[in-house]
Amino acid sequence: MVNVLNAVLVLMRLILFGLSLGLTVISFQSYQRRQSQRLQYAFIGFAFISMGVAVTNLSTQIGTSGAAAGTELVLIQISETIPFIIGFAMIYLSLYR
């Protein structure tokens, strides 16, 4: 049962990563067509969110494999949060301006 759940989790994370990359590509194409500061901020935001999704996937695998524990695991989790903060801040800027 655990193996099936792990497979479902991996599949869902791959779908999430694919969707985030798709949004990044679409926002980049929009920025290339019409180069505005808003679209540039949106593209950078989606790129950082995609990076956050990728780092989260990697850090979860490290955490569940037991390779990192205690302080190391917390530092990894902090590092996975930083791209999300930057990404959402850039999307906020793109919508606010």
Side-chain angles (χ1 to χ4, degrees), residues 10-72:
V10 168
L11 179 64
M12 291 174 70
R13 288 199 173 147
L14 285 173
I15 291 169
L16 177 63
F17 186 63
L19 288 170
S20 66
L21 281 179
L23 281 172
T24 303
V25 168
I26 290 169
S27 65
F28 178 71
Q29 290 171 345
S30 296
Y31 172 66
Q32 285 221 311
R33 276 189 230 120
R34 184 172 171 221
Q35 294 189 2
S36 71
Q37 194 171 18
R38 285 181 147 186
L39 289 174
Q40 181 182 18
Y41 286 148
F43 161 64
I44 292 170
F46 285 123
F48 271 95
I49 290 172
S50 295
M51 187 186 319
V53 170
V55 172
T56 300
N57 288 341
L58 291 174
S59 67
T60 302
Q61 289 181 359
I62 290 171
T64 57
S65 70
T71 306
E72 294 170 342

Side-chain angles (χ1 to χ4, degrees), residues 44-96:
I44 292 170
F46 285 123
F48 271 95
I49 290 172
S50 295
M51 187 186 319
V53 170
V55 172
T56 300
N57 288 341
L58 291 174
S59 67
T60 302
Q61 289 181 359
I62 290 171
T64 57
S65 70
T71 306
E72 294 170 342
L73 185 59
V74 172
L75 290 174
I76 290 170
Q77 290 173 337
I78 289 171
S79 69
E80 76 186 24
T81 305
I82 293 170
F84 285 113
I85 292 171
I86 295 170
F88 283 113
M90 295 303 287
I91 291 174
Y92 177 83
L93 284 174
S94 76
L95 295 173
Y96 183 74

